[in-house]
Amino acid sequence: MNLRAALRYRWYSWSGQKAAAQKAAQDAFDAVCARLGPGDLAVDLGANQGLFTQKLAATGADVVAFEPDPHAFEALTARMAGQAQVDCRNAAAAAQAGVMTLYRTAHFDRNPDRHSTSSSLLAENRNVDKANGFDVEVVDFVDFLVSLDRDVALIKVDIEGAEVDLMEALLDHPVASRVGHIFVETHERANPSLAVRTSALKARTAGQGQPAVNWDWH
């Protein structure tokens, strides 16, 4: 991220514009949730301990939740116990399948519930420790969507920087037309090298009908 971009991002945060955009994103998410019901499908990428997975499941929709960090996944499955329409998968979703290293923060053990939200496939993220990583299963998300052979009403994407590769791959594939709404949290502050590609993705999807992409998820 160059100096001009960094200053622009700081102003965006300090001026209150970021908070307002995040509030609008939450309102939009809630509005989509209000229209979900049995027979619909939602996908939660980076479900962590399942706060939003639970909200999606409460609509009666089918939900697939991906969470690679085993600490968070244990809490996710406990929260979703007894919810037959929720499919919890202990794997990461990314632009390609395989086995990759998931990196945790240096202080993960001090507060695992808090720090599991920062676990990432990207070693370049400023908030992770390259020495604190372990292998996890990774699912090619485009292939996963193709295999469903059904429409997806909503996707929430909070995958700590891996969203750039994933969204580029998704938007390049015809399966994207089967997705209604996508809510994405971006991570250029933790990984400034993502800033240019993130901006390009935002420009690419501006005013787009389907999928409707909101880049201000929190």
Side-chain angles (χ1 to χ4, degrees), residues 12-29:
Y12 180 63
S13 299
W14 294 342
S15 67
Q17 294 179 56
K18 180 179 179 181
Q22 290 177 332
K23 173 63 166 57
Q26 181 66 63
D27 290 345
F29 180 88

Side-chain angles (χ1 to χ4, degrees), residues 11 35 83 102 124:
W11 171 251
R35 299 194 295 270
Q83 302 264 9
L102 185 73
E124 299 82 7

Side-chain angles (χ1 to χ4, degrees), residues 40 57 66 104 151 201:
D40 291 321
F66 288 87
R104 286 171 165 171
D151 292 346
L201 282 166

Side-chain angles (χ1 to χ4, degrees), residues 90-160:
N90 190 195
Q96 59 185 11
V99 175
M100 296 179 67
T101 302
L102 185 73
Y103 299 93
R104 286 171 165 171
T105 69
H107 306 300
F108 181 89
D109 291 337
R110 295 182 185 177
N111 190 339
D113 287 350
R114 174 186 176 188
H115 290 293
S116 65
T117 61
S118 297
S119 297
S120 175
L121 298 175
L122 277 65
E124 299 82 7
N125 283 10
R126 291 174 171 173
N127 55 347
V128 300
D129 178 9
K130 293 181 181 179
N132 192 10
F134 52 94
D135 289 345
V136 297
E137 178 188 358
V138 181
V139 173
D140 183 315
F141 188 59
V142 169
D143 284 352
F144 164 76
L145 290 179
V146 171
S147 73
L148 293 175
D149 197 26
R150 63 186 288 196
D151 292 346
V152 181
L154 182 154
I155 302 173
K156 189 216 85 183
V157 184
D158 184 1
I159 51 177
E160 302 303 309

Side-chain angles (χ1 to χ4, degrees), residues 32-33 35-37 39-43 56 59 61-62 145 148 150-156 178-183 210-212:
V32 176
C33 283
R35 299 194 295 270
L36 296 179
D40 291 321
L41 175 63
V43 181
L56 292 168
T59 68
D62 297 327
L145 290 179
L148 293 175
R150 63 186 288 196
D151 292 346
V152 181
L154 182 154
I155 302 173
K156 189 216 85 183
R178 299 213 310 253
V179 179
H181 297 267
I182 308 176
F183 293 85
Q210 189 168 338

Side-chain angles (χ1 to χ4, degrees), residues 40-60:
D40 291 321
L41 175 63
V43 181
D44 191 351
L45 303 185
N48 198 252
Q49 297 179 53
L51 177 64
F52 291 103
T53 309
Q54 185 175 46
K55 188 165 190 171
L56 292 168
T59 68

